[in-house]
Amino acid sequence: MIMSTSRGGASGDLGRHAHVFQPGRSGRTLLLLHGTGGDEHDLLRLGAMLDAGASLLSPRGNVSEAGMARFFRRVREGVFDEADVRARSAELGAWVRAALAHYAIDPAGVTSVGFSNGANVAAAMMLLGAYAAPRAVLLRAMVPIAPAPGASAAGARVLVLAGTSDPIVPAEHSVRLADLLRGVGAEVTLREVPGGHGLTRDDVEIAREWMGVNDERAD
Ligand code: MLT
């Protein structure tokens, strides 16, 4: 069963993002955050590949860049509008909490899975103290913002997956991001996969292994 809610069809915080909620059977939930130009349907297949038994919660970014949806504004490729990163991260964090309550999702069972701009907003929420899931898989993430004083993602486990020849994310960004996330208390694993900005089979396999999902138990 897929339940979709359009922006106009839900009230309060929840109505701020068009989204899909697809209930699963395992008690686990993947918060799926798409890349630039994607939407709430983009990562559903990836979510099912990563954890077939999990519920999927997938919001669409509210920023439009020439018609392409994003989670925050940028000045140009790799240069972000910091005020907007702060505001959108706070807003998305509030939205996630509202969605967890609305759909009766166990917060302890959530894994954030973000790709590119979606990974960047997941990282920004952690660095700013807006929202940290207990686990996060950040695929092709950059440093989105400096950590806010006092922000804590203590106890969160984070997997950063970087492409060795990513033309958008310089290698030192992945290393710096891992360090910044450690600085706010997260336990971070940084892995490189052969490839560019696009996702590969290796990403899926490494993420599945790191998540430790036992599909037989889940299904
Ligand atoms: C971003 O803008 O978040 C990054 O440059 C990745 C992208 O979306 O292209």
Side-chain angles (χ1 to χ4, degrees), residues 35-37 65 70 72-74 76-80 115-118 120-121 140 142 168-169 197:
T36 300
E65 182 184 279
R70 289 176 50 83
F72 54 79
R73 290 200 185 94
R74 63 182 165 185
R76 58 178 185 277
E77 182 72 62
V79 180
F80 305 140
F115 168 63
S116 192
N117 181 244
N120 293 345
V121 81
R140 310 299 185 269
M142 310 179 70
I168 294 175
V169 182
H197 200 65

Side-chain angles (χ1 to χ4, degrees), residues 108-127:
V110 179
T111 301
S112 299
V113 178
F115 168 63
S116 192
N117 181 244
N120 293 345
V121 81
M125 287 194 290
M126 282 187 270
L127 295 170

Side-chain angles (χ1 to χ4, degrees), residues 1-13:
M1 176 174 57
I2 295 184
M3 291 159 52
S4 296
T5 308
S6 71
R7 193 167 298 144
S11 59
D13 280 339

